[in-house]
Each structure stands twice: as C-alpha cells, then as structure tokens.
Amino acid sequence: MYNILISTYRNFVRNPVTNFINLIGLAISLALVIILSVYSFSELTTDNFHKNIDRLYLYGDFNNRMYMPAILKDQVDLNIPEVESSVRLAGSWEAPVFQVDDRDPITSDIVFADVDFFNLFSYQTAEGDLEDSLNELMSVVITKSLAEKLFGNDNALGKNVKMNNNKLLTVSAVIDEPKANSCLSFSAITSVNTRKIIQPNEDEYTNWGWNNFQLFILLKKGANPYETAKKMAELFPKNDYEQEDNSKLQLNPFNGLYFSQFALYGNDSAYLHGKDKMKMLILMMVALLVLIIALVNFINISTSQWLEKLKHIGVLKVIGARRSTIFLQLLAEAFLLFLMALLLAQILVNIVYPLVQNYTGIKFNPHILYTPYYFIISITATFLLSVVFSSIPIYRVSSSKAIDNLKKKIEPDRKKSIFRGVLVAAQFSIAIVLIAFTLLVQKQVDFGSSNLGFNQSNVVGINITPQLHSKKEVLMKLLEEKPGVDKISFTQYFPGKTNSHWVTNQTVDGVEKHYQFDTFNADVDFFDILGLQLVNGRLFSDKLTIDQHSILVNETFVCEHKIDNPIGTKLIVGMEGHQSEIIGVVKDFHYKAVSEPILPLLIRNEPNASICLVRLQTSNFALFHKTIQDIKTVAAELSPSFPVEITFLDQAVKNMYQSELQFRKTFSLFAICAIAICCLGILAMSLFACQIRVKEIGIRKVNGARISEILMLLNKDFVKWVAIAFVIATPIAWYAMNKWLQKFAYKTELSWWIFALAGLMALGIAMLTVSWQSWQAARRNPVEALRNE
Amino acid sequence: MIDLKNIYKYYDNKFQRTYVLKINNLTIKEGEFVTVMGPSGAGKSTLLNIIGMLDVPNEGEYFFMDQPAFQLKEKKKVEFHRNYVGFIFQAFHLIDEMTVAENIETPLIYKGVKSKERKAMVAEMLDRFNMVAKKDLFPSQLSGGQQQLVGIARAIVGKPKLLLADEPTGNLHSEQGKEIMKLLQKLNKEGITVIQVTHNEEFAAYGKRIVRLADGRIESDEIFSKINQPQLT
C-alpha cells in the first residue's frame, strides 16, 4: 500500500503538467456532477418529508380546472367515507403587508387553509404547538424567516401582527422552513374561517359558482383514488356550469405534484409551484456530457502515460512481477487519482456552490453533502468510474510482452492516434453544441425582451398600495410637479403581472357567441407611454367621463372572435354588466412573455388601478436619478403603512424571462467548464504529441523547415479533428435547438452565425491551446532533440 | 543446466523464410561464464532472451535444469524469473521513479521476502558495491557505471543461479566496462552461471568460453580456461 502511494506520488511529480491537467479536469467535472446530482436528488425527493405523502392528493384537472368551490369540502366531508380529511387552500390575491407595532411594514405572502392543514402536511414547529394552532379565529402561523423579519430576535409567539393596516392577527405558532424541497411555500398561514373575516366575499362558501380553492384530500389507507374521485365529481350539482368537465377531475397524487405541469395562474397561487422536469433532465444530461469530456481526457492522458510506462512494466516483469500485481498496482494508481479528484471536487463544491446558486439559481440544501449516504455513494461511484475507465487499457498494458516493452521505442501508433482523434472530436462536438445552445438561449431572451411591440425604456411602475389607492389624484399632482417626470398613467397592466381572464357568453347582433379574453384597465396616457399603435378607430379621450364605458381591443380580439366591424360593437363587460362599446383597435403587442401566444385583449377605461406608470425625461442623466428618488419619497409619504416598490419597465420585462435567463447562465457555466476541460485535454495531448515527435521536428528543422511550417504540421491534426467535431455537432445542435424553441409561441430564428460562431470559438480556443505547445516545440534547437540518441 | 536442441526462430515473408536463430545444439553447464559474440543481427540477443524465457522460438526444445522450459505455465515462468535468473541490460533499465535502494529491493518484494530481511539484503548489496551513500539517489543522478552497478545489484540480490547480461558494457566507457567485467568474473567465481553478450573482444576474454554466432548459427564454440585467470586480482 505504501509502495503504491509512493509510486503514485512520484509518477505525479514526474509529469506534473499532464497529471495536473488530468486531475483538474476530473475535479471540475466531478464538482459539476456533484452539484447537479445533489440538486436533482433534492428536486426528485421534493415533499418526501410529509409523513402522509402516499395518501395525499390534490383534486382537480391539471389542464383546465384547479380551482374548486368552497362548499365542495363540506360535501366531501359529509358524503365520502374514504376521505380521512380534506383541506382547502387559497392564496391571497394581493400580497399582504404585515406590520408589527411601529416597525417598517413588510410585503409578504399568506395562505388560507382549513384547520386540519398541519395534520395533512408535516411541518416542524419552532415555537408553539401546531396541533390547534389554526383553530382560533384570527390566529396565524408564520415561518421562522418571516418571524425574524417581523420581530427581529424577539419572541413572536402570542404577539400581534397587523395585516394590511387594518386586521390584527395573533401568532399562534412559528414553524421551521422545511429542510428539503417542497412544492408548497408560504410565509404565513391562517384559517379559512379567518379568511371569511378579512376577505369577505358574498356567498362564496355556500354557492357552487365560486371556484377559489385548491382542495387537498387525505385518503384513508387502502382507498382507491379513482373511485373516490368519481364519487366526488358526482357531488357537483347537476346544473353546474362546468358539469361536462367534471369527469376529468381526478385525485392527483401529491407525490408527483412538483413535476406535474398544472395550470395555476394568478398571484394568489404562488404558494403552490412546480418545476419543469425536462429542464432538470437537460441539466443532468449536460453534466453527464461534461463528465464524459473529462473522462476522455483521463483516457487520453493515462493511456499516453501508460505507454511511457511500458518499459518500466517490462523491467518489473523481468524481475518477477506477476501480471495481476502490475494490473492491481496501475488500477490502484488510477483510483487514487480519481479519489484525489473527488476530494478536490468536494472542496471546489464547498467554495463554488454559493456562487453557482446565486448565478444560476440551482438550489439545494447543502446539508445533503454531509450525510453518510452521500459519502458512501460518491466514493463508490468514483471507484466504479476509475475501474470502468481504466481497467481495459491497464489490462492491455499489463499483459504486454516484457521483451517487446524493453526493446521497443515508443512510436506514435497510427491506430491509437486515430482513436484519440475521435475522442477529441467527440469532446469538441459536445463543447460546440453547448456553446451554440448558450448563444441561442441568449438570442431568444433578447428576442423575447426587445420585440414586444411596446416601448420599455425610461418607464417606471409604482405599485398602488391600498393607501395610495384613495390618493391617486394627489399622487398624480405631486408627481407632475417633479421636473423629471414626463407622463403619468394609471393602469392594471405591468409585465409579469397576471391579467384577469374573463369568459362570457354574449349575444351580439342577435348571435350568441362565447368570448374569452385577457383584460385590464388603462387610461389615455397608457397608450402614449407604451407607444402602442392604433389600427382602427380612436383611443380613450382625455380624462373625460364620456369614455367611461368605452373599450379598446387588440387585433387578435377582432380576429379570434370574428368581428367584422369592430368599431361600435357593443359588449356587456364587467361585474356591473355595463354595455360597453369598442371604440378602437390597437396593434397586437406582447403583453405576456413570448413563450405564450397573444390572446384576445380588452382594455377598459375604468378607474381601478394597481400600477402607476411614469415616463421620465431622459435629457439629463443626473436628473434621472434624482427624479426616481423623488418619486420614491412622494409615494412612500403617501403610503406609510404599505411599502412602495418602484420597478423599471424594462427590468420587469427581463424578469419575465427569469427562468430562461437562469437556464442560459447555467448553460454558459457548463459550456465554459466543458471548453476548459477540452482545452486541458488537448493541451495534454499536444504536449504528448510534441514529446514523441521531438526527433521528427528536429530532423525537419535540420532539413530546412521553417517554424511556421512546423507549427502547421503540429496543429494540422487538431484542427482536422475540431473541424470534424463541427460537422458532427451542427446537426445535433440544430435538432436540440429546434426542440427547445418549440415551447415558445414566438421564437427567434436559428441563424447560421450561431453555429459558425460556436465552431469558430471552439477552433480558436483549440488553436490557441495547441499552438502554445507547438510553438515551444517548434522553436527548440534541433541539435538538442537529435543529440538524445 | 541449459540444454538447447534445434532452436529455430524465423520470420516468414511472402516468399522466403528469414532465420534469426538456427541452433542445433547448445549446452551450458552450471558455473560456466559464456560470452556470446557476433556481428549485429547475428541473433545474440534473441538467444539470450530465449534462454531467459522472455522469448520463445518457433521450433525446438529447451531444458532448464532438466525441465522442459517451453511447457512452463505463466506462473512457473514468473517463479523462474524470481528465483533462478537475473538480467543485466545494456540500457540498465532501472526504474526512474525509484531510488537506488528501492530498485534493488523490488525483486525481493515480488519474491515475497519479509520487509526486515529485505532491508538487510539490500544493505548488504549496497555495502558490497560501495553505494551506501547513494542509496537514496535516483538513477538519473548516477553515472552510467554506477547505474550498471545498481542493475547488477538488482539482478543478483535474489541470489539467482543464472545471470544473463545483454551487452552490459555497451553504454559505458572502457574503464567502467572493465570494472563491470571484473565484477561479473567475481560473481562467476562465487558460483553463478554467467552468460553475456558483447561486441568487445577484450571483454569477451573475461569469460571461460566464447560462442560465436553469425546469421543465427553457431560459428565456433571455444573453451579457454587459463588465459584470463591472471587478470583476476
């Protein structure tokens, strides 16, 4: 054992550069693999900490209907014996603002649940008892992080929290945030009964027409979810509007909820979130590819080293070493190298993980890294990798004939160099695909944020807090006084904010038609600020009440609902059911992210607003910043109990592509690692190639070859393989890109330059790496090389 | 000790068979010091390799200590290398990553000698060749003559019966060469059978018997026992 350690060490020191390259490449890729496997593990075990997970279901139809009437729970509890317990969950449409005493108000989130919530879902209490925590009216359970935000280091239990400046809630318990990943997330939770008080809503709890809750079901052991779902569907009244859909309602296991693509919309459902499994799989695959690149390096470098070692092995055999002894020793050396790489990777993960998390949004709980399972699995995997990838070449080396080894000089073997070339081509194919993909994702994000059809620059949005709501006129007046402010508009639209989606049946011109559309309120200046173009008719008139019931629609609205003469068409719109007249048609613009199609849009001229858009003058940069400060102060003064947020419009647009941007960042990170490892690989190979061609280079130089010619000679091989890699990578990248773009309703084009640029980058980097080595080899004095005989 | 019968080694080309070795009969007794001579390509090294069981001929029989050597299994061959034979090479073939002491020790490890005993045996060797001060150096830090000394020490540390030396002085200048030859002669006196290959007539004369090869055949085989004796000091 000691001997093996010593010989591994000396081997390492003998070829420090190549061994270091080998080690670093492996370590980087292993670090990536560790981060991503732990991440995937944490994603895949989402919600496993709930004790009842196997019996928990969410009732609904993921494609169409996730919202249930409140009364359904009462009926289920009464009529269906298989159900052990049921819990309704609902979020809050507006984000609540919490305030403790006179401290700063904090915008947070809250969910409303039935009192059984903590029996269904397993949470750990930090303070107080969860058992009856929701029974009392106006009691609230908050998470530890919210408690820290609200109370600082003080004890939160039993204290009062003012919600939205008017309702007092009492903290009945504080829970720890779950250590593992969960698809449920909330900062505060209170009972449905409390909701009746703080958000009263007509006959919501007795009328089947309201669909505002998610219904979670805990089945009794052995109960059949299909049968139960059928029984539940029959509870709906026979004349229910969506009766025909009821057959599609199912009990969806909570266990797979995280990766099921459910159609939840609206800010009120933010507490329930899932993830695209595809994205995770893509990341895993890419991590695997990076690992392959590093393993290729390992194979290339170690085979070339083992060739050097042939003579050494010949000697050992002559003095009496068995084949198996040599085999085991080489294997042990390989394993040691892998083990070192693992150790290095571990250190790397510890250093790099916070950065990676910030940059790419890949999140997991780092405590997984310190569990014994993780330890055992990582070492076993490393062992297997080292055995699988080194035993064949080692076997061949160790069973070579001693006499051949002693006699033979190490000659560049044509077949082996082709094998290595193929491996290099494979490496570079992967790198090129990754680069091209990174470029494409960037291009799509740029496309998605710049071609929306409206002006984004120099516009900020102020959220209209309840306190600002009644002071809109004052706010407007104060803002108009500020020198840097150009135009002000009140609206309900802001990029990334969910719009209301209305569905109605209307009789127009004697024909009953089904209308569905997105809708928001806006005023006359809205169109000017966003630079929207009118196609037909006119815009709202200037702040006069004559347009109170006028509406504007977009082109898609006209098109989709087949209205021949839109101007003057009358529709009944809104809660109050006013007769409204279409006065104009605006050009289509992407009011949603480009991943979604443009839907029919109806813009009303009603006074309700949630956003105040302000266009700033741009002439003076210094003034620009002062103006923003001014706006903040003005708004904050008018809204002391509710925090005011000021967001740039273009920033909000970017935020819509958050997940794509993260994806691009993750990808670029991978691409950079892949390329770095590739470079390390060909650097080692060029070192080796130069070593064995030293004599050839010497002879050529003696015979009058110029340095440039030698450089050409040495680089030619690598360039050839990178070119081949380009040819292989292009169709693969093209296919993958098309697949990825399919999920966008509006997509950028696949330009040729993406591939060209990716190929050129790979080639350029490869050339630089190789040339560095070739240059040194080419410049060597040929006498030195030839003297070595 | 060594009995070679009708050893033929050849390469088949398309039209003709090229013989590398064509020996009908060669016997070497225990305690002999045989020098194999001949021009380049005469088959000297091949003969040595066959005797050392590193190579096999296409035809023929080889008895080593009355055992048919070609029938030996891989394991037995390893035993042979461990216990009966030591090799000395023109290019020394020391292991670059090992120190002098480790190089000498390696065959003992394979032989399964216990650590304490090994240390003693290595120390004895180092002592004998006056290399105690150099035991922790690496081969590249030694002169050619010293490297060959280490090579010889490694070859004989396992107390072999047979020492095969393939041009042991080929890479050395004549003074160093003489030293090595004297050493071989001394080892032979102590009872080890030595077979060496050399180009050098002067060094050939250190042996008791000269076998001359040409084109794979034995051209002459002469034994002269007395001439060189006085040179031994």
Side-chain angles (χ1 to χ4, degrees):
Chain A
M1 187 61 215
Y2 174 75
N3 281 328
I4 289 170
L5 277 178
I6 284 278
S7 94
T8 310
Y9 167 73
R10 284 191 188 142
N11 254 328
F12 196 92
V13 176
R14 216 164 99 84
N15 282 317
V17 180
T18 40
N19 280 310
F20 200 66
I21 287 171
N22 208 351
L23 188 65
I24 290 288
L26 276 178
I28 293 175
S29 65
L30 281 180
L32 277 183
V33 171
I34 288 174
I35 289 179
L36 281 166
S37 356
V38 173
Y39 168 67
S40 315
F41 172 79
S42 127
E43 295 282 289
L44 288 171
T45 54
T46 293
D47 287 317
N48 276 5
F49 64 93
H50 294 298
K51 287 189 198 89
N52 296 322
I53 180 123
D54 294 330
R55 294 188 287 138
L56 266 175
Y57 296 88
L58 173 60
Y59 187 61
D61 169 7
F62 280 169
N63 296 319
N64 292 308
R65 196 166 172 201
M66 293 284 289
Y67 295 89
M68 294 296 142
I71 192 172
L72 180 63
K73 174 200 157 64
D74 304 330
Q75 293 298 316
V76 167
D77 287 350
L78 272 178
N79 297 315
I80 301 189
E82 290 96 322
V83 174
E84 186 172 314
S85 181
S86 63
V87 164
R88 292 169 292 191
L89 251 85
S92 163
W93 182 252
E94 291 291 337
V97 171
F98 295 121
Q99 194 174 19
V100 172
D101 304 329
D102 291 332
R103 299 186 204 214
D104 286 338
I106 287 166
T107 312
S108 183
D109 61 283
I110 191 163
V111 292
F112 303 96
D114 284 306
V115 289
D116 269 348
F117 180 81
F118 289 111
N119 294 332
L120 259 67
F121 302 98
S122 316
Y123 285 90
Q124 299 294 319
T125 169
E127 285 179 60
D129 185 10
L130 285 183
E131 186 64 25
D132 300 320
S133 53
L134 295 177
N135 286 4
E136 201 107 342
L137 273 184
M138 303 307 274
S139 63
V140 66
V141 174
I142 58 176
T143 59
K144 210 169 182 178
S145 64
L146 180 61
E148 268 160 25
K149 273 189 220 156
L150 288 173
F151 296 95
N153 293 326
D154 300 349
N155 200 342
L157 202 62
K159 298 239 174 77
N160 285 338
V161 179
K162 196 156 57 170
M163 177 173 159
N164 291 341
N165 205 27
N166 51 16
K167 299 288 191 299
L168 270 186
L169 298 173
T170 311
V171 177
S172 60
V174 177
I175 53 169
D176 284 323
E177 269 93 2
K179 266 192 183 149
N181 203 15
S182 174
C183 67
L184 284 178
S185 73
F186 53 87
S187 303
I189 183 164
T190 181
S191 66
V192 170
N193 288 334
T194 311
R195 185 178 193 259
K196 288 177 186 167
I197 298 167
I198 43 184
Q199 292 186 355
N201 199 353
E202 301 177 43
D203 53 355
E204 190 182 17
Y205 297 92
T206 49
N207 189 329
W208 286 90
W210 293 93
N211 292 293
N212 279 335
F213 290 94
Q214 268 84 56
L215 185 60
F216 285 89
I217 300 285
L218 179 65
L219 282 187
K220 284 189 177 143
K221 276 180 192 140
N224 182 335
Y226 297 101
E227 297 301 318
T228 315
K230 253 187 223 164
K231 281 191 192 170
M232 284 173 70
E234 278 166 18
L235 294 174
F236 284 89
K238 294 296 170 245
N239 60 349
D240 186 52
Y241 167 63
E242 287 173 279
Q243 170 109 50
E244 59 214 84
D245 285 349
N246 287 352
S247 56
K248 289 186 194 155
L249 295 176
Q250 279 183 359
L251 284 174
N252 305 286
F254 185 62
N255 201 352
L257 193 60
Y258 188 63
F259 286 123
S260 2
Q261 313 221 309
F262 40 84
L264 276 182
Y265 32 85
N267 304 337
D268 59 335
S269 311
Y271 69 88
L272 191 61
H273 60 94
K275 195 156 256 173
D276 190 354
K277 199 171 191 174
M278 198 60 196
K279 241 175 222 176
M280 199 193 75
L281 292 179
I282 291 179
L283 286 185
M284 273 316 280
M285 217 172 68
V286 174
L288 204 70
L289 290 181
V290 175
L291 182 67
I292 289 175
I293 294 181
L295 286 173
V296 165
N297 276 358
F298 172 78
I299 294 173
N300 271 343
I301 294 176
S302 36
T303 42
S304 56
Q305 278 185 357
W306 285 328
L307 284 182
E308 280 178 45
K309 264 188 160 179
L310 273 178
K311 194 190 263 181
H312 170 150
I313 289 161
V315 176
L316 289 182
K317 284 191 149 184
V318 165
I319 59 181
R322 269 207 198 104
R323 183 199 291 175
S324 56
T325 321
I326 292 169
F327 181 79
L328 283 179
Q329 177 166 354
L330 289 180
L331 206 60
E333 281 178 22
F335 175 60
L336 270 177
L337 185 83
F338 268 84
L339 207 61
M340 271 204 297
L342 179 69
L343 202 76
L344 222 66
Q346 204 67 61
I347 297 168
L348 217 61
V349 168
N350 276 327
I351 298 170
V352 154
Y353 171 64
L355 303 174
V356 171
Q357 184 186 350
N358 262 338
Y359 185 66
T360 64
I362 286 178
K363 250 186 288 188
F364 57 83
N365 196 326
H367 86 100
I368 301 178
L369 289 175
Y370 300 99
T371 52
Y373 286 117
Y374 167 76
F375 209 67
I376 295 168
I377 289 173
S378 60
I379 290 194
T380 320
T382 311
F383 176 70
L384 287 179
L385 275 182
S386 62
V387 170
V388 168
F389 285 92
S390 53
S391 54
I392 292 171
I394 286 179
Y395 178 78
R396 280 182 38 201
V397 169
S398 64
S399 54
S400 54
K401 269 176 81 182
I403 187 66
D404 293 342
N405 295 353
L406 290 181
K407 261 196 282 188
K408 224 193 307 184
K409 280 219 183 85
I410 303 153
E411 297 290 343
D413 183 344
R414 185 116 205 106
K415 234 199 231 153
K416 270 195 186 117
S417 74
I418 286 178
F419 172 67
R420 276 201 214 105
V422 170
L423 289 179
V424 167
Q427 275 184 319
F428 269 88
S429 310
I430 296 173
I432 291 173
V433 170
L434 290 180
I435 300 176
F437 213 90
T438 312
L439 291 172
L440 173 82
V441 178
Q442 181 61 49
K443 194 161 177 255
Q444 173 67 16
V445 171
D446 288 346
F447 170 83
S449 46
S450 61
N451 297 310
L452 296 179
F454 63 86
N455 162 49
Q456 306 167 21
S457 46
N458 305 315
V459 180
V460 295
I462 309 167
N463 66 320
I464 304 287
T465 66
Q467 277 172 326
L468 282 178
H469 199 81
S470 50
K471 300 175 196 157
K472 272 193 301 196
E473 300 303 319
V474 188
L475 177 68
M476 185 142 171
K477 200 169 257 163
L478 287 172
L479 288 180
E480 269 171 349
E481 282 169 10
K482 300 293 170 198
V485 172
D486 187 20
K487 262 214 163 91
I488 300 163
S489 157
F490 288 97
T491 177
Q492 287 177 322
Y493 170 73
F494 204 62
K497 202 168 170 292
T498 320
N499 298 299
S500 303
H501 187 78
W502 288 0
V503 181
T504 88
N505 280 341
Q506 305 243 342
T507 314
V508 177
D509 302 334
V511 189
E512 185 168 328
K513 269 199 217 167
H514 183 69
Y515 284 88
Q516 53 176 347
F517 48 83
D518 287 338
T519 178
F520 57 79
N521 293 342
D523 59 15
V524 57
D525 285 331
F526 176 78
F527 300 93
D528 187 27
I529 290 176
L530 292 194
L532 300 179
Q533 284 166 13
L534 195 66
V535 181
N536 206 344
R538 63 176 177 89
L539 295 173
F540 300 132
S541 58
D542 193 13
K543 321 230 152 144
L544 287 176
T545 43
I546 53 161
D547 274 336
Q548 185 89 56
H549 300 303
S550 298
I551 50 177
L552 286 163
V553 294
N554 68 353
E555 291 171 308
T556 310
F557 190 97
V558 177
C559 208
E560 197 108 315
H561 296 131
K562 301 195 181 70
I563 303 169
D564 296 333
N565 291 311
I567 309 298
T569 304
K570 294 202 165 72
L571 296 170
I572 294 167
V573 168
M575 295 287 180
E576 285 81 30
H578 286 295
Q579 178 102 359
S580 304
E581 187 185 333
I582 300 178
I583 57 163
V585 178
V586 291
K587 202 162 184 266
D588 273 342
F589 66 104
H590 287 280
Y591 60 94
K592 294 175 174 183
V594 291
S595 51
E596 290 170 67
I598 297 176
L599 291 181
L601 175 69
L602 187 147
I603 305 173
R604 290 163 292 137
N605 193 17
E606 287 164 25
N608 270 342
S610 51
I611 291 288
C612 172
L613 291 179
V614 181
R615 185 166 70 196
L616 306 164
Q617 285 170 359
T618 50
S619 47
N620 188 335
F621 189 72
L623 188 65
F624 191 80
H625 281 273
K626 191 179 168 297
T627 312
I628 288 168
Q629 271 313 317
D630 286 347
I631 294 173
K632 261 184 200 157
T633 347
V634 167
E637 270 169 17
L638 292 175
S639 169
S641 325
F642 294 89
V644 176
E645 283 157 36
I646 293 182
T647 319
F648 279 89
L649 194 63
D650 46 5
Q651 195 55 49
V653 168
K654 282 237 167 63
N655 288 344
M656 288 200 296
Y657 300 101
Q658 200 61 37
S659 86
E660 273 73 35
L661 275 173
Q662 269 185 5
F663 197 53
R664 180 193 71 82
K665 284 175 174 174
T666 317
F667 239 90
S668 61
L669 187 77
F670 275 123
I672 289 170
C673 286
I675 292 163
I677 299 171
C678 275
C679 282
L680 288 176
I682 56 166
L683 180 65
M685 280 188 59
S686 68
L687 260 170
F688 184 65
C690 289
Q691 254 171 41
I692 54 180
R693 291 175 87 166
V694 156
K695 204 171 135 198
E696 183 193 337
I697 295 167
I699 293 170
R700 279 175 192 271
K701 279 187 84 173
V702 166
N703 283 306
R706 258 175 281 140
I707 288 184
S708 59
E709 283 161 341
I710 304 265
L711 268 179
M712 278 263 277
L713 176 82
L714 289 170
N715 290 354
K716 202 177 63 195
D717 274 347
F718 293 100
V719 172
K720 184 176 76 193
W721 290 115
V722 173
I724 290 174
F726 177 71
V727 174
I728 297 170
T730 306
I732 298 174
W734 188 82
Y735 175 78
M737 288 168 165
N738 261 329
K739 264 257 139 79
W740 185 73
L741 279 179
Q742 265 169 20
K743 66 173 190 162
F744 292 94
Y746 304 91
K747 40 193 165 253
T748 179
E749 281 165 51
L750 276 179
S751 327
W752 61 271
W753 63 261
I754 291 182
F755 302 102
L757 189 59
L760 275 179
M761 272 170 82
L763 187 66
I765 293 168
M767 282 291 282
L768 275 178
T769 324
V770 175
S771 295
W772 178 62
Q773 197 49 47
S774 320
W775 175 248
Q776 285 184 339
R779 278 189 3 162
R780 266 182 70 174
N781 188 347
V783 178
E784 272 174 50
L786 294 176
R787 192 167 50 199
N788 234 338
E789 274 298 280
Chain B
M1 185 184 206
I2 292 165
D3 220 346
L4 296 172
K5 288 211 170 76
N6 301 323
I7 297 286
Y8 296 139
K9 175 122 180 139
Y10 49 79
Y11 297 106
D12 279 330
N13 283 345
K14 250 185 192 157
F15 304 110
Q16 80 190 98
R17 180 169 279 189
T18 320
Y19 280 92
V20 183
L21 210 55
K22 217 172 181 181
I23 290 173
N24 292 323
N25 201 349
L26 180 67
T27 309
I28 295 168
K29 293 196 197 75
E30 205 161 344
E32 278 196 277
F33 189 155
V34 181
T35 306
V36 182
M37 290 196 75
S40 288
K44 308 183 296 289
S45 293
T46 310
L47 175 62
L48 208 65
N49 288 335
I50 288 174
I51 293 173
M53 289 188 211
L54 293 175
D55 207 349
V56 275
N58 301 76
E59 287 171 30
E61 281 179 300
Y62 168 26
F63 294 92
F64 182 80
M65 298 179 84
D66 300 330
Q67 289 216 16
F70 298 147
Q71 270 94 302
L72 288 181
K73 293 248 169 62
E74 183 68 30
K75 264 194 177 172
K76 282 276 177 195
K77 264 189 198 170
V78 172
E79 291 301 310
F80 167 80
H81 286 142
R82 284 179 187 177
N83 298 321
Y84 293 102
V85 68
F87 285 90
I88 303 168
F89 304 94
Q90 174 179 11
F92 321 135
H93 285 332
L94 299 176
I95 294 169
D96 296 336
E97 295 101 81
M98 291 186 181
T99 61
V100 166
E102 284 163 348
N103 261 297
I104 301 175
E105 189 184 5
T106 312
L108 298 176
I109 297 176
Y110 292 131
K111 227 175 143 177
V113 179
K114 290 213 179 67
S115 171
K116 256 190 190 160
E117 239 175 291
R118 277 201 318 254
K119 292 279 174 304
M121 288 163 87
V122 171
E124 191 194 315
M125 276 299 144
L126 289 167
D127 200 31
R128 176 165 181 184
F129 293 134
N130 287 324
M131 304 200 72
V132 178
K134 301 197 169 71
K135 71 179 171 59
D136 289 328
L137 296 183
F138 288 94
S140 53
Q141 295 165 298
L142 301 177
S143 73
Q146 287 166 332
Q147 287 191 42
Q148 194 58 297
L149 279 182
V150 178
I152 295 174
R154 184 181 65 186
I156 62 168
V157 71
K159 307 221 161 49
K161 299 246 183 307
L162 176 64
L163 197 56
L164 299 174
D166 191 352
E167 300 206 37
T169 57
N171 278 7
L172 305 176
H173 59 74
S174 58
E175 268 316 303
Q176 288 171 331
K178 269 184 199 160
E179 292 283 322
I180 298 295
M181 289 319 296
K182 281 182 190 163
L183 184 59
L184 288 184
Q185 212 168 31
K186 199 168 156 205
L187 291 170
N188 178 242
K189 275 246 148 187
E190 288 166 15
I192 301 178
T193 314
V194 180
I195 304 175
Q196 70 155 337
V197 165
T198 186
H199 276 302
N200 189 316
E201 287 286 349
E202 186 193 339
F203 294 155
Y206 283 79
K208 298 176 190 165
R209 172 181 173 189
I210 296 182
V211 176
R212 288 179 199 274
L213 291 184
D215 296 331
R217 291 164 214 272
I218 296 177
E219 208 178 46
S220 71
D221 186 350
E222 37 189 322
I223 302 175
F224 37 86
S225 47
K226 284 168 199 156
I227 307 167
N228 295 301
Q229 296 309 324
Q231 288 204 353
L232 234 187
T233 44

